[in-house]
Amino acid sequence: HWQDAPDTFGEPASYESASTHEKPAAPERPALPERAARALAQASAKAPTRDEHPSATTTAPVAPRKHSFTVFTYPGDPDPADEASVAPAQADSAAPASSDIHPDDAQPLLKITDLEVTFTSSTGVVPAVRGANLTIYPGQTVAIVGESGSGKSTTAAAVIGLLPGTGKVAGGTIEFDGQDITNLTTNQWVELRGSGIGLVPQDPMSNLNPVLRVGYQVKEALLANNVVPKSEVGERVSQLLEEAGLPDAERRAKQYPHEFSGGMRQRALIAIGMAAHPKLLIADEPTSALDVTVQRRILDHLGKLTAEMGTAVLFITHDLGLAAERAEQLVVMHRGRIVESGPAADIKPGNNLPL
């Protein structure tokens, strides 16, 4: 009480002993109604005692508590409920048997032999790719890694016939599906691109036409390759965008690229590249402009699509760790030359690479 508080400026006030304070009496519990008191007495009489209860002598096993939780996924991602059943299959596929490895006498999908690519400048001819050799089999994923300017993208551009400026194939051969495509005409290249070889370009921020709706750009890829009749193009555009992981595909098809985020633009480019179900897909640094979390989702979805369609992938990147995680075979380039190639598990930093 405030009367008993000590005086700050004088002697402390005296306190009464605790024994002088009497504990107030507890209020009496109101009597139960007669009917309630009778029901309580009957329940007490029927209840078994501790000795009579069966749990006193035998202990029943207690079932473990089950916790429920919710898993949030993104459209197009695999169902987490199926991961348990898929995991054993993935573990088996991670270490292929000797019979699953492509034999030397199998027909390769893409074979590059002694490729030479040059550019003409004011100072003369500049070699960009020198003596490159590369083989990709159907359904295989091969990654080309190297520093900027090593010739990775130039090699991929030569494969699809899109060398910029004065670039040209000065030597060697490029064979695709058993056909020499080194010196195709313009019309032959147009026929091959899309249906035979697809492309997912780098930098999704600048590879979509800003004045055309996204759906129209996907539609162009379908019409150019005669994938479906014109009456079914609109429906197929929505299907492709949905397969690429874009929710509400019909509405997204009517939007412009500036209304998309970086990850959404990349998914739209994947839809365009996979529109005609190509046998080979060239992914030229498809996630270089994206953050790590979006990058992983994009690559997971791209891997799922190509695996379902049996499409071979030529993956271009400067990230050795990312390439080793995603590809079966690695090719390391430096200054236009292939300095090392082999299984992803055998290519490691520090293997005397001039990088």
Side-chain angles (χ1 to χ4, degrees), residues 182-201:
T182 309
N183 299 303
L184 294 183
T185 64
T186 302
N187 291 335
Q188 289 173 329
W189 276 121
V190 170
E191 184 179 353
L192 178 64
R193 295 189 196 116
S195 59
I197 304 176
L199 174 66
V200 178

Side-chain angles (χ1 to χ4, degrees), residues 36 101 117 169 351:
I101 300 175
V117 178
V169 177
N351 288 0

Side-chain angles (χ1 to χ4, degrees), residues 248-326:
D248 197 3
E250 292 185 7
R251 183 172 65 88
R252 298 298 183 186
K254 300 176 183 178
Q255 293 180 323
Y256 290 91
H258 72 270
E259 299 179 81
F260 280 27
S261 65
M264 294 170 67
R265 295 186 194 188
Q266 190 62 72
R267 290 179 186 270
L269 289 173
I270 291 175
I272 294 173
M274 298 292 292
H277 295 187
K279 297 180 180 180
L280 173 66
L281 181 68
I282 298 176
D284 188 3
E285 299 192 30
T287 58
S288 58
L290 306 177
D291 60 75
V292 177
T293 54
V294 177
Q295 179 186 91
R296 184 174 185 85
R297 289 201 300 269
I298 293 292
L299 292 177
D300 286 345
H301 193 70
L302 179 61
K304 177 185 175 183
L305 281 179
T306 53
E308 290 176 352
M309 299 180 183
T311 303
V313 180
L314 179 59
F315 185 46
I316 311 296
T317 181
H318 57 265
D319 189 336
L320 182 59
L322 185 64
E325 178 186 355
R326 300 289 172 173

Side-chain angles (χ1 to χ4, degrees), residues 25-340:
E28 296 183 2
R29 178 177 297 177
L32 292 173
E34 182 179 353
R35 181 180 298 180
R38 188 165 53 251
L40 180 62
Q42 293 176 356
S44 301
K46 294 180 179 179
T49 62
R50 179 177 180 84
D51 296 335
E52 296 173 351
H53 201 280
S55 62
T57 56
T58 59
T59 304
V62 180
R65 183 180 229 178
K66 295 183 179 180
H67 300 276
S68 61
F69 56 91
T70 304
V71 178
F72 295 93
T73 60
Y74 287 83
D77 292 344
D79 188 356
D82 299 335
E83 290 183 356
S85 59
V86 175
Q90 291 178 341
D92 296 339
S93 61
S98 58
S99 60
D100 296 333
I101 300 175
H102 302 288
D104 295 334
D105 58 350
Q107 177 67 33
L109 179 64
L110 176 68
K111 185 177 182 181
I112 300 175
T113 307
D114 298 330
L115 180 64
E116 301 277 346
V117 178
T118 61
F119 289 86
T120 303
S121 67
S122 58
T123 58
V125 178
V126 179
V129 178
R130 299 179 285 180
N133 293 278
L134 176 66
T135 303
I136 300 178
Y137 292 92
Q140 189 180 30
T141 300
V142 177
I144 302 180
V145 297
E147 59 188 349
S148 298
S150 61
K152 309 182 302 294
S153 297
T154 301
T155 302
V159 171
I160 200 171
L162 292 176
L163 286 171
T166 60
K168 67 176 182 178
V169 177
T173 59
I174 303 174
E175 297 179 19
F176 177 74
D177 204 13
Q179 177 187 1
D180 188 351
I181 62 172
T182 309
N183 299 303
L184 294 183
T185 64
T186 302
N187 291 335
Q188 289 173 329
W189 276 121
V190 170
E191 184 179 353
L192 178 64
R193 295 189 196 116
S195 59
I197 304 176
L199 174 66
V200 178
Q202 56 181 318
D203 191 9
M205 301 300 180
S206 61
N207 276 291
L208 288 172
N209 193 323
V211 300
L212 297 178
R213 300 181 191 274
V214 173
Y216 182 83
Q217 300 184 55
V218 179
K219 177 182 176 181
E220 285 184 321
L222 293 173
L223 295 178
N225 294 281
N226 297 318
V227 178
V228 294
K230 289 186 178 181
S231 59
E232 302 177 8
V233 168
E235 181 181 355
R236 183 56 183 156
V237 167
S238 299
Q239 290 178 355
L240 285 171
L241 292 177
E242 189 173 346
E243 290 173 1
L246 286 174
D248 197 3
E250 292 185 7
R251 183 172 65 88
R252 298 298 183 186
K254 300 176 183 178
Q255 293 180 323
Y256 290 91
H258 72 270
E259 299 179 81
F260 280 27
S261 65
M264 294 170 67
R265 295 186 194 188
Q266 190 62 72
R267 290 179 186 270
L269 289 173
I270 291 175
I272 294 173
M274 298 292 292
H277 295 187
K279 297 180 180 180
L280 173 66
L281 181 68
I282 298 176
D284 188 3
E285 299 192 30
T287 58
S288 58
L290 306 177
D291 60 75
V292 177
T293 54
V294 177
Q295 179 186 91
R296 184 174 185 85
R297 289 201 300 269
I298 293 292
L299 292 177
D300 286 345
H301 193 70
L302 179 61
K304 177 185 175 183
L305 281 179
T306 53
E308 290 176 352
M309 299 180 183
T311 303
V313 180
L314 179 59
F315 185 46
I316 311 296
T317 181
H318 57 265
D319 189 336
L320 182 59
L322 185 64
E325 178 186 355
R326 300 289 172 173
E328 306 168 23
Q329 298 283 325
L330 292 187
V331 175
V332 183
M333 294 192 69
H334 178 65
R335 293 185 179 180
R337 298 184 185 275
I338 294 179
V339 295
E340 189 167 359

